Amino acid sequence: MQSSNHESGFSVRLADPDASAAPGVETTGRSFLRRRRNRHGRGLRGEVMLPTHPGYRTRGDRFDDLVLDSAQRLHDIWGKTLDGVRFGVDEIPPDLEQLAANGTTAPMGAYTPASGGDGPMITVYRRVVENACSSAEELQDLVHDVVVEHTAEMLGVAPETLDPVYRRRY
């Protein structure tokens, strides 16, 4: 199995436990990679969390899905108007320390106009939005509202015009 990144010239080759050792390297006994457990039988034998369990995906992964769902909903409504718009998630706003020092509330998202070859960018700040919510349903609604508000700012329209179910929740 081989993984490589041609852009940076960095490549990784994963060891194949069934492959023979490199020339000049002696191996005695079983390979560490071929062992299933440590010598007392207490080691892990498989994945800790199966993909079918809710804990398999991280909170960040689930939050990313909420942002993508909101972006897809808006794209379904507005179509080509939103082509080229990028939606992203950051953990915290870049100037959070300065905002906290000034006593200003942290923004839940941001709109960055198009620059160079990149299209406009709507960013949602995960930690700020999560701290404002007390339940999963409230989180989903707030994420959608943040995406709608910053997309409306980008298009220069009222958020209610952009999405009929929008209502300011914060």
Side-chain angles (χ1 to χ4, degrees), residues 39-105:
R39 62 181 241 215
H40 296 290
R42 296 186 187 106
L44 297 176
R45 295 186 220 169
E47 295 184 39
V48 175
M49 185 70 63
L50 297 174
T52 56
H53 291 110
Y56 184 73
R57 296 180 44 85
T58 64
R59 285 189 318 173
D61 292 339
R62 291 188 299 265
F63 191 88
D64 293 348
D65 288 344
L66 293 175
V67 172
L68 290 176
D69 289 344
S70 293
Q72 185 62 47
R73 176 184 164 85
L74 290 178
H75 194 272
D76 291 344
I77 294 170
W78 285 82
K80 291 197 179 271
T81 307
L82 296 180
D83 283 349
V85 177
R86 298 175 299 146
F87 295 87
V89 174
D90 277 344
E91 291 292 310
I92 58 173
D95 53 351
L96 184 61
E97 292 174 1
Q98 182 181 3
L99 292 170
N102 295 339
T104 310
T105 59

Side-chain angles (χ1 to χ4, degrees), residues 104-128:
T104 310
T105 59
M108 294 190 182
Y111 157 63
T112 307
S115 62
D118 295 334
M121 176 85 170
I122 307 293
T123 306
V124 181
Y125 300 119
R126 181 172 76 89
R127 299 288 183 148
V128 178

Side-chain angles (χ1 to χ4, degrees), residues 145-163:
D145 286 350
V146 171
V147 169
V148 167
E149 285 183 4
H150 290 289
T151 306
E153 176 187 349
M154 177 190 69
L155 296 175
V157 298
E160 296 82 12
T161 306
L162 191 64
D163 188 7

